[in-house]
Structures are given as C-alpha cells and as structure tokens.
Amino acid sequence: MCGIVGYIGMRAASEILLDGLEKLEYRGYDSAGIATVGEGEVHCVRSKGKLHNLRRKLDGADNPDRIGIGHTRWATHGKPEEHNAHPHMDGVGRVAVVQNGIIENYRELRSELKEKGYEFRSQTDTEVIPHLLAHVLSHGETDSFSPLLDAVGQVVNRLEGAFAIAVICADYPDELIVARQQAPLAIGFGQGEFFCASDTPAIVPYTNAVLHLDNGEMARLTPLGAEVYNFAGERINKYPHIIDWSPIQVEKQGFRHFMLKEIYEQPGVVRTCLANYLDSEWNLDRSEGSPIKLDLPPTLYENLDRIQILACGTSWHASLVGKYLLEQLAEIPTMVQYASEFRYSPSPITAHTLTIGVTQSGETADTLAALAMEQQRRFAKSNTIEDGGADRFEPRLLGITNRPESSLGQLVAHIIDTHAGVEIGVAATKTFVAQLMAFYALALEIAYRRQTLSAARMAEILEGLRQIPMQIEQVLASQEASIEELAHEFSETTDFIFLGRGINYPIAMEGALKLKEISYIHAE
C-alpha cells in the first residue's frame, strides 16, 4: 500500500514530491515524509497521519533543493509513528532511503549492524538499508565511477524479499539511485529532469515517457540522463515508452473520490472492450469467421485440453467467472489457482494446457512468480521427453491485464488488454468488469474454434453483451439515491453475508471483498 516518488532536475523538488504523493493517496497510508539534498546536507521532514500534516510542517520553509525522495507508508514493521515513517537515514544523516515491500532478512542484518556499532531509531525493516549503505560508503568498499550506485548494488544483493527502493546521499547531490525486486517502480523522462514512482499516476502530470524497471534492475538518475543496470552492475540498454494517459485522467473530475469516478466510468470501459474484442459486422446473415478479434495465434488453441488460471484478489474472482464461461460456453475443463498458493503447491503438469495469468496492474508479484515458475516447470518437463512428444508440455502462456507494458507483458508473449484506462481507486471497479469482458471474449473465441455454440446462440450472447453499457448506465442513474439510503440504513451493521450461485458465486465473493476493503466491516 506504500507509495514512492523521486525527483532530480532543475526545479525545486519538495512540491513535486508532495504532488506525486497526493496522486498516490488512494493506496492508503498512515504516515508520510520527504528528504531532499542541498548545500551538502540531507533535509528530511516526516509526519504521522495524512499528507496535510506533512504540508503543515513544510509551510513557509524555503527549500530550493533540486533532488529528493518522498514516501507514504502503511505500517507493517513498527507502529504508525513519526519515527517509523520514511525516509529513513543512516546514523550521521548523510544517506536517506524510501522503500516499498518487505525485507525478509532484516533481523539478521539488523543484528549484524548493531554488532558493528550502528544504532537504530525505528522498528522498521527499511532502516537496515541506509546503515548498510553508509557502511559500504564509509569503508571505501567501492571504486566505481559512481560509488553510490556501486554501494546500492552491493546492498541490494544482500537483501531478501520483495522491495523497491530510492536512495539519495548528501555526498552525491547529483545522483538518485533506484532499485526494484518484486515491487513496482517506474522512471519518468523529462527535459533535463527525471522522476521515479511506485505507480505511474504520480508522474503523469510531468511526463508521458515512462520506463518500468524489471526485477533485479537498478537505475542511476542524474540531471544528464538515466542509466539502467542489473544487480551485478552491468549496464542494460532499455528505452522508455510513451503512455497515452493525460493528466486529467488522474484527477477526480468533480467526483468525491476516485472509486466513485471509476464506478461511473464502467459503461465507457465496457464499450471500449466490446469495440476492441467484437467484430461489429458479424451477424447471423454474415457468420463466416470468428465474431471475436483477439488477434491471438492459433497455436494457443490447437489441441487444447485444459486451461489453468493464476490470479490473486479481485482478479481471482474475475477468473472464477472466467472458469464458468470457459466451461459452460467453450466446454473446456478450467482450473483457477490462487497464485500465492500455487507457488508452494503447484498442480501436476498436464499436456496441452493453456496457462492464463490475470493481474490488473501486470505487477502482482505472486502472479508473476507463479507464471515464471510454471514456465520453467514446463520447459523442464518438455526437455526430459525424448520420444517426440515434448511439444505436449511446452508452455502456452497468456496474460490478461490493464497494463500491456508491465512486467506481465515482458514475461508472456501474448496479452489480452482490458482497455480500462487509469485505475486509481483502491478497490478495483472498472478493471474487474473489464476482466469479465476479456473472459467473455476468450470463451467465445474458443467456443467458436471448438464449435460448441450454434451461430444463433453466439449471436444471442453477443447481443446481450452489447446491451451491458446501457444497462449499467440505467442502474447508476436510477439507483444512486436508494444505494445511499441503504448505506445509511446499514451504517451500524457489523457483519454481512453475500450469497450467490453459479456465475454469481464469485460475484458475491467480490462484493464481500469490496465491503471489507473500503469499510473494514466483516463480510463473507
């Protein structure tokens, strides 16, 4: 739930950092802070609570520093207090670090550092990082052109877990170093300035040229450019891509909050999906060819015996609906696995199986890890077969995501883009509906290839899908007042039970998850 923002360039950094953190407020947080470098010192300000508390501390301060990092923290290690807030610093205040994720071996590192005389001021796992960096830098254990980059490279190779970090140092005022391992981090390219953020909405107002770091990569940002390296310190050639988001898309546009805005964007999202997935000219009188246009290669479907889907959270619920559609419409056995569990207890490898990874962001660590493991298992299995049947077990991977440029897009060769646009609300709304549209399209495409539906039944389903945007609009227009009335009526209720059968069973589960996520009320 934490957020990272970083900046280096020719403008004052503090306001850019605060603005970026405000764009990440939807993630939820309990403390915030920024650190900048100027006049040979690190200037760090932190605050418990919301960003307005941090702004109040910064009001009236003249801070022209042109490099800095910021963070919003959701407490994991240590209470939500100011001393546990990010950025964290080394003992003499020369190094500042922000981090998302969890450092799993922080206890061992903390003990090691304490034995060397380092003192800790917080209960967080993050604080080991600035102390480790300070130790490497102070002991002259680096001799590269960028001692700070080299020090970060040495430190990240000692960290275990999922993390994204951003680092600044008073002794290297023209360098911002970032690193990623199983936690999202993107770099934004401007004119003589560079940005980093844990999610793209934080930097969209400033640039549309974005580069997503992959696992095991770090970058050195200076006013002159951005350089990407792997954790071994080897230079990597990577290029930014242009995103088609506009700054207006990351604003509330008159709605009270992003979740409400995105609820009302659902009809438009479904229309976009239908326009991209369905052949508008297909009908009963002209029914040659598939009515679906997913542009997926025939090799994904050939001799297909089984489908397995890997997902987490809301995407898992959408996948359960997908299972229903694939089995009922395409008549193909489908299994849905919770990705975090699949990693530790994978199902037996079966022949002619399509594996689908579903993740809204394309960055869900458990889903990516499960897909990578399945890919490796299948390669290993196919390599052990010598009698000509190896192709039965070769990996067939497909991704469903709202971010084709994400890590998922790098991992799998084929993607169904859900076309939901920027989603900022904590609880998935329009992306859930978009994932359902993607599964409808996939199920109908496979059904067409397997000839499990008559042309008349296919036309009936397609016509029903085309009515959905208008039906959503009618519900939103006619039920808004009654929904608000019901919310007040049940405001004191402490337990909810959602019921559903068939295709509505995962819908009920998703409804319960939404209530828990947003209101913290018990729901099953």
Side-chain angles (χ1 to χ4, degrees), residues 331-362:
E331 298 181 8
I332 184 165
T334 302
M335 176 172 54
V336 182
Q337 302 267 42
Y338 216 95
S340 57
E341 294 302 313
F342 182 85
R343 293 176 62 185
Y344 301 100
S345 54
S347 58
I349 298 176
T350 54
H352 303 304
T353 299
L354 171 64
T355 301
I356 305 174
V358 187
T359 157
Q360 181 273 126
S361 65

Side-chain angles (χ1 to χ4, degrees), residues 110-126:
R110 191 180 181 107
S111 296
E112 174 190 320
L113 288 163
K114 281 185 173 181
E115 289 177 2
K116 293 178 178 178
Y118 291 91
E119 296 181 2
F120 287 77
R121 304 184 181 94
S122 76
Q123 290 79 50
T124 69
D125 56 335
T126 304

Side-chain angles (χ1 to χ4, degrees), residues 5 11-22 34 36 55 58-59 63 65 206:
V5 179
R11 290 188 274 179
S14 58
E15 187 56 38
I16 293 173
L17 298 175
L18 286 170
D19 181 61
L21 293 177
E22 286 176 349
I34 67 168
T36 60
R55 277 195 175 277
L58 293 167
D59 278 349
N63 184 354
D65 299 349
Y206 303 99

Side-chain angles (χ1 to χ4, degrees), residues 4 27 100 163-164 180 182-186 197-199 213 361 363:
I4 288 175
R27 290 171 172 263
N100 284 357
F163 57 85
R180 172 201 168 144
Q182 301 292 347
L185 198 64
S198 52
D199 203 1
L213 291 182
S361 65
E363 301 291 350

Side-chain angles (χ1 to χ4, degrees), residues 154-171:
Q154 292 185 43
V155 169
V156 294
N157 279 292
R158 298 202 61 193
L159 304 180
E160 298 175 6
F163 57 85
I165 65 172
V167 178
I168 56 174
C169 178
D171 299 316

Side-chain angles (χ1 to χ4, degrees), residues 315-333:
S315 295
W316 183 63
H317 296 151
S319 299
L320 291 173
V321 176
K323 167 185 167 67
Y324 181 93
L325 297 173
L326 289 162
E327 292 188 336
Q328 299 302 312
L329 301 181
E331 298 181 8
I332 184 165

Side-chain angles (χ1 to χ4, degrees), residues 476-497:
L476 292 174
S478 63
Q479 299 298 318
E480 182 177 4
S482 59
I483 290 171
E484 186 171 350
E485 184 178 330
L486 285 170
H488 287 290
E489 182 178 338
F490 291 111
S491 61
E492 301 300 322
T493 304
T494 58
D495 300 276
F496 284 81
I497 297 177

Side-chain angles (χ1 to χ4, degrees), residues 40-79:
E41 295 182 358
V42 175
H43 306 114
C44 184
V45 181
R46 303 181 296 179
S47 176
K48 177 182 176 181
K50 297 302 181 183
L51 276 169
H52 61 79
N53 295 331
L54 182 61
R55 277 195 175 277
R56 192 177 299 119
K57 280 192 169 187
L58 293 167
D59 278 349
D62 181 19
N63 184 354
D65 299 349
R66 298 177 180 180
I67 176 175
I69 52 178
H71 192 268
T72 50
R73 173 182 185 256
W74 185 271
T76 53
H77 298 80
K79 295 180 180 180

